[in-house]
Amino acid sequence: MATSQHAPSAVPETSMKRVIPAALIGSALEWYDFYLYAVASALVFNKIVFPAHDAFVGTLAAFSTLALGYFVRPLGGALFGSLGDRLGRRHVLVVTLLVMGGTTVLMAFLPTYEQVGIWSPVMLVVLRIVQGLGAGAEFGGSAVLSVEFARPRRRGLHGAWPASGVYLGLLLASAAMGAVASLPPNEFLAWGWRLPFAASVLVIVLALFIRLRLQESPAFREVDRKDEVAKAPVREVLTQERRGALVLIGTQSAQTVMAYLFLTFITSYVSDTLHMDGSAGPFAVTVAALAALVAMPLFGALSDRFGRRPVLLFGTVFCALYAFPFFWIIDTTRSRFGLTVALVIGLGLGVAAMFGPQGAYFAELFSARVRMTGLTFSREIGGAIAGGLTPIIALTLVEWAGGRSWAVSLFAVLACLVIGLPAVWFGPETRGRSLLASTRADLEASTGSFADERSATPVNAVQPDEPALRPHERR
């Protein structure tokens, strides 16, 4: 293969104009699908797929299938992450898009328990497993692609677009489910909830159009040019890049606990425990997701200025301190306004600070040979532990505490201070690393170098207090 086809300098200056929407729309579809399922678990599946005389048992069964999707995501991360490191990021992201979106569309046609009996939950479980496999590499792949295309001093900003995409998907899903949840209960359970699932086909078409026009990332092109593609990426991550994987798992676990308390559990809590209107949760999440969507790139940009760890530490400590006030606001006001304000603060400030810098931070933890595998596999392990179990643990704690929220608040504090804080505190600062480094030693040695892989030109002479970048450097 000719060097000119793979050299980093071959990447056109307009690359980020295509990468940003590709990262946004892919993550948006992933979390549109997953959040639809989460809300449906709290409001629909517990009634029509897992019928039970006890509402607690039905909701617990529905949340168990939500957890199942998370438990298979690490397998998807390992499978598609390895393919991304061996065959290229772009091709794999097209496949994951089709797998995720296709299963969501099929869920729109799921028969109820009354119609087909036990086959209803069986079909739901199968679709959930396939959906989880496809989603296992989506965020990680989008983050890797965004960061590998970005300039060194803009990686935090551009690495945050997949995180913004997550909340764009949540925003769309929450708005869609909120709209149909306002239907009369019988109509909502009969056919209304199916409409948002079927509508995901529109996002699939748009995302495919955008992603099929992408080029391969500079880092993978360079690894491919040098014939340094990893033959067994998962094994290499587990044997040579364990530290990065452990830091990522701990950081991700704490953020996922907080996000799913705010996004998934709270919908069931305000509806079933506080007996608020069924549309209150989706409405509040819609507003809070909009705030988080805007805040993500801001916190990513702050990590470009001050470093990844300071921003992540702020978000982790803030969420720990906010756990009890969050539930106090909701329990005291029991109003749509109070719920919305509490969620905007939690998502737009705490979770956004934990989530915004992750795209750049997680990508910079791993060498170019195994970056996509390391990020996707490790991130989904953290997601399986925290995201899969958080709604079930929270639901059980509320039941155990007699409908009170203090036990869930304590659970959130422990997740942040016992898991998240040590991971970030003892983790490395990664800002300025070379994403072309193919070994762990070279990666760590390059910290703070700010070498521009797009042009192979060092830019470490540029100081933060210098004037604005030249026009062609603005991304």
Side-chain angles (χ1 to χ4, degrees):
M1 290 179 284
T3 301
S4 62
Q5 293 178 316
H6 298 276
S9 58
V11 179
E13 286 294 309
T14 57
S15 291
M16 290 310 300
K17 294 180 180 179
R18 293 186 177 182
V19 173
I20 290 173
L24 275 170
I25 198 68
S27 291
L29 175 63
E30 174 192 359
W31 289 94
Y32 177 86
D33 295 348
F34 257 61
Y35 189 65
L36 279 184
Y37 193 98
V39 175
S41 295
L43 302 179
V44 179
F45 296 148
N46 57 332
K47 297 178 176 67
I48 68 170
V49 177
F50 300 98
H53 297 294
D54 189 332
F56 169 74
V57 174
T59 303
L60 188 63
F63 276 160
S64 296
T65 62
L66 177 69
L68 181 62
Y70 274 93
F71 294 148
V72 301
R73 282 176 68 123
L75 299 178
L79 172 62
F80 291 113
S82 296
L83 292 175
D85 281 324
R86 296 172 62 188
L87 304 177
R89 324 313 193 194
R90 170 183 174 272
H91 301 297
V92 171
L93 286 174
V94 171
V95 175
T96 58
L97 189 74
L98 293 172
V99 172
M100 286 187 314
T103 53
T104 303
V105 173
L106 290 176
M107 286 180 186
F109 303 96
L110 183 73
T112 67
Y113 188 89
E114 289 185 357
Q115 292 172 328
V116 296
I118 192 63
W119 288 108
S120 178
V122 168
M123 285 187 280
L124 181 63
V125 167
V126 171
L127 289 173
R128 181 63 174 163
I129 290 174
V130 176
Q131 185 187 56
L133 288 173
E138 176 56 43
F139 177 90
S142 295
V144 166
L145 198 70
S146 300
V147 173
E148 288 182 342
F149 268 105
R151 292 187 179 278
R153 294 187 183 274
R154 294 292 181 269
R155 287 185 194 142
L157 171 63
H158 292 310
W161 296 123
S164 287
V166 167
Y167 283 85
L168 175 60
L170 295 175
L171 177 65
L172 294 174
S174 183
M177 193 60 83
V180 296
S182 63
L183 292 169
N186 290 341
E187 294 182 23
F188 171 67
L189 292 176
W191 56 269
W193 69 271
R194 300 178 187 273
L195 298 180
F197 282 81
S200 65
V201 70
L202 302 176
V203 186
I204 298 172
V205 173
L206 177 60
L208 277 177
F209 173 77
I210 294 173
R211 285 195 169 173
L212 289 173
R213 301 173 68 220
L214 287 177
Q215 292 186 335
E216 190 49 78
S217 77
F220 180 80
R221 287 152 66 96
E222 185 70 3
V223 168
D224 189 30
R225 182 183 71 83
K226 293 180 178 180
D227 197 23
E228 294 180 340
V229 175
K231 299 298 186 292
V234 175
R235 182 174 63 189
E236 194 166 318
V237 168
L238 295 177
T239 57
Q240 300 180 31
E241 311 227 14
R242 287 191 302 270
R243 184 192 179 194
L246 291 174
V247 169
L248 193 160
I249 290 170
T251 305
Q252 175 64 29
S253 295
Q255 182 259 311
T256 303
V257 166
M258 297 310 303
Y260 271 79
L261 285 178
F262 294 150
L263 295 169
T264 304
F265 165 74
I266 200 64
T267 303
S268 174
Y269 177 73
V270 300
S271 175
D272 297 340
T273 302
L274 301 184
H275 305 293
M276 293 173 59
D277 183 78
S279 64
F283 171 83
V285 170
T286 299
V287 177
L290 180 59
L293 187 156
V294 175
M296 294 295 174
L298 297 179
F299 281 109
L302 284 175
S303 78
D304 284 326
R305 177 78 176 182
F306 300 106
R308 318 296 183 216
R309 291 176 66 250
V311 179
L312 290 167
L313 286 170
F314 165 78
T316 304
V317 173
F318 177 88
C319 282
L321 295 175
Y322 183 61
F324 277 94
F326 169 73
F327 279 102
W328 179 83
I329 294 172
I330 297 171
D331 293 342
T332 301
T333 63
R334 298 201 178 200
S335 68
R336 183 176 297 221
F337 176 77
L339 174 62
T340 302
V341 170
L343 281 175
V344 166
I345 295 172
L347 287 175
L349 192 56
V351 172
M354 298 174 77
F355 199 4
Q358 282 186 3
Y361 186 55
F362 290 172
E364 291 166 343
L365 285 172
F366 300 97
S367 62
R369 287 164 50 90
V370 296
R371 180 166 295 124
M372 189 165 171
T373 302
L375 201 165
T376 57
F377 181 52
S378 304
R379 183 178 185 273
E380 298 312 330
I381 289 177
I385 295 171
L389 295 177
T390 292
I392 297 175
I393 292 174
L395 185 69
T396 304
L397 288 174
V398 169
E399 184 77 6
W400 173 75
R404 289 171 293 178
S405 61
W406 66 267
V408 180
S409 299
L410 182 60
F411 167 63
V413 171
L414 293 175
C416 290
L417 298 186
V418 177
I419 301 176
L421 186 61
V424 180
W425 185 266
F426 294 106
E429 179 55 68
T430 63
R431 188 170 63 123
R433 285 182 170 181
S434 171
L435 296 186
L436 297 184
S438 58
T439 67
R440 183 75 186 173
D442 290 343
L443 180 71
E444 294 176 350
S446 70
T447 303
S449 66
F450 292 99
D452 191 346
E453 293 88 0
R454 294 166 59 102
S455 60
T457 303
V459 295
N460 50 312
V462 179
Q463 299 301 319
D465 57 353
E466 286 187 356
L469 297 174
R470 293 183 296 274
H472 75 277
E473 293 177 321
R474 292 172 187 160
R475 292 283 174 251

